Each structure stands twice: as structure tokens, then as C-alpha cells.
Amino acid sequence: MRIGILGSGLMGGKLGTLFARAGHEVVFSYARTHEKLKNLAKDAGGTARAGKPREAADADALLVAVHWSRVDDVLSETGDLSGKVMLTCSLPMDAGHTGLLIGHSSSGAEELAKKAPKARVVCAFNTVPSEVFFGVYEARQNADRPSLVYCGDDAASKGIAAGLIGDVGFEPVDAGPLRIARYTEPFGLLMGQLAYEGNEGPELAYRFMRFGNEARHA
Ligand SMILES: NC(=O)c1ccc[n+]([C@@H]2O[C@H](COP(=O)([O-])OP(=O)(O)OC[C@H]3O[C@@H](n4cnc5c(N)ncnc54)[C@H](OP(=O)(O)O)[C@@H]3O)[C@@H](O)[C@H]2O)c1
């Protein structure tokens, strides 16, 4: 598939690289320097390339991986998103963009869907810290894959998301409609907190995911 990366930092850079290694045609976009995008594309290999958000948006699926304060800006650069499958891992922040936000009646993914009403938004990848991605990909042949939840309102888009989640080594777990993102996103906060404020973050993410597998198989 053609996959456009909107925001090529920790999340977008790593996931874009793994999508490319899994055989997809990836366009990295939206970093502060074009040089960085070109280096990412070179490291990712395959047909990966650097481009503008508008070029990245000409794809079968888009990954939104920007800081919440950049969401409006990146959307203004993509052009028409009608019918586009848009996976988002961006976590919502408060009005001053100083702290991550937990919403009881909404979520970042739902807010994004309002900002891009013609796109088909799926919430995915934000429940794990980016540090786990390469390790999970390396271990993708293992029978006991870590699970990763996703949610959305459009069945076809969710199918695409599930395929991509599987391609990078996780077992996709359908958590339901997009409004469920208000319950899954807080796990992203927890994992982020553990990853960046403690030493055990990525390790704890594995333990959490194994527990999920066991619980499901019980
Ligand atoms: N990192 C994680 O483990 C993690 C886990 C779960 C969810 N998330 C969420 O995922 C989203 C992305 O996180 P991240 O850690 O990948 O962020 P990041 O590393 O800061 O990457 C954000 C991307 O946006 C680009 N950017 C920032 N300001 C820009 C500007 N003014 N003009 C153009 N590009 C600009 C950055 O450019 P540069 O490349 O030049 O810096 C970078 O490519 C966030 O909402 C975060 O909360 C992250």
C-alpha cells in the first residue's frame, strides 16, 4: 500500500520505517527539515521517499503523528482528505498545549475526526511508547505477539489499520467504534509517563501486552 506519514518524529519515523520494511510504499513528511525526511527515507530503504504533506496524503492510508499543537497546521497542508483512511496516534493536549489531556466525553481521535470530517479516522498505535516498535517488529514471527488496540467507525478503514498493525508485529485488537478512543488514549498517557519518567517504560509495555493476551485467551 501507499502510506503517507504526517509527522516524522519518534512515532512517524519509526512506524514509517517499519511500514517500508514490511513492503509498503512510504512517503515521510512534516519534519522541520527536508534533510531529516530524506535520511529517514534512505534508512527505511525500499521505495520510501521524502515529500510534502500534500504528496504524503496521496496514499491509501495516512498516519497522523504530530504533537497536538501541530494538528491544524499539518491538516492545512494535506489538501482534500475526502475518503482518506487516517490512522492517528496523536494524543490530545490541553488548551495551552502544556499537558496531555484525558477526556471523559471525547478523545484526540474524535476531535481529529471533527477537524477532518470527510476522512475515515482510526485510532491506533498510541497505547505503546515508540521504543517498543523495532523490538516488536524483530519478534514478529513469534506465536505470542503483543496485542495493540485500535478503534474506528468505518469497517474498511479498520481492516486496513488491522493489516498495518499486524505488519509491524502486533496482534490487532478491535476495541470498537471511534468513541472508544476516550478509553484507550489514557493508556498512551500511562505508557508515555512510564517510558519518559521511569526506566521501565518499554519493558512495562511488554508486560501489559502479554497480560492482555493471556486475558483474552483465558
Ligand atoms: N513518542 C511516543 O512514544 C508516543 C507514544 C504514544 C503517542 N504519541 C503521540 O504521537 C504524537 C507524535 O509523537 P512523537 O513522539 O512522534 O513526536 P515528535 O518526535 O516530536 O515528532 C513530531 C513530528 O512533527 C514535526 N514537527 C514539530 N514541529 C514542527 C513544525 N513547526 N513544522 C514541521 N514539523 C514539525 C517534528 O519535526 P522534527 O522531526 O524536525 O522534530 C516531528 O517530525 C504526539 O501526539 C504524541 O503524544 C507518542
Side-chain angles (χ1 to χ4, degrees):
M1 289 199 325
R2 294 171 307 149
I3 302 175
I5 305 294
L6 301 173
S8 300
L10 288 171
M11 296 295 276
K14 288 177 179 154
L15 284 171
T17 298
L18 296 179
F19 292 147
R21 292 188 183 158
H24 297 290
E25 197 181 306
V26 171
V27 176
F28 289 98
S29 80
Y30 205 74
R32 279 166 285 203
T33 66
H34 192 67
E35 198 62 26
K36 174 173 180 180
L37 299 174
K38 282 203 300 193
N39 286 337
L40 274 171
K42 193 172 156 209
D43 287 350
T47 55
R49 63 186 178 88
K52 301 260 183 225
R54 191 174 284 270
E55 297 165 70
D58 182 24
D60 303 305
L62 295 171
L63 176 72
V64 179
V66 292
H67 187 275
W68 192 250
S69 63
R70 308 305 307 174
V71 167
D72 290 331
D73 189 58
V74 78
L75 291 181
S76 75
E77 291 192 33
T78 54
D80 185 15
L81 291 171
S82 299
K84 294 284 179 191
V85 176
M86 196 148 73
L87 311 186
T88 178
C89 66
S90 289
L91 292 171
M93 301 196 74
D94 58 22
H97 297 301
T98 53
L100 291 165
L101 196 69
I102 295 181
H104 296 286
S105 55
S106 191
S107 61
E110 291 163 274
E111 293 305 309
L112 181 70
K114 286 183 201 156
K115 289 172 186 287
K118 293 183 177 164
R120 299 184 286 160
V121 175
V122 178
C123 182
F125 293 115
N126 53 12
T127 51
V128 287
S130 66
E131 282 82 354
V132 307
F133 288 135
F134 282 100
V136 169
Y137 183 75
E138 288 307 317
R140 67 192 179 285
Q141 306 300 352
N142 291 358
D144 193 16
R145 291 171 153 215
S147 52
L148 194 135
V149 292
Y150 65 102
C151 59
D153 291 333
D154 177 68
S157 311
K158 288 172 77 174
I160 289 174
L164 292 173
I165 290 168
D167 286 346
V168 297
F170 292 92
E171 187 178 318
V173 176
D174 184 351
L178 196 64
R179 65 180 171 76
I180 299 299
R182 60 187 79 160
Y183 309 117
T184 61
E185 284 178 359
F187 282 100
L189 267 70
L190 171 65
M191 290 305 144
Q193 204 77 3
L194 293 169
Y196 300 117
E197 296 198 359
N199 295 325
E200 306 282 332
E203 186 60 28
L204 276 167
Y206 277 107
R207 283 187 213 142
F208 165 73
M209 289 185 283
R210 263 193 224 121
F211 173 77
N213 276 338
E214 282 164 15
R216 253 180 328 102
H217 294 152

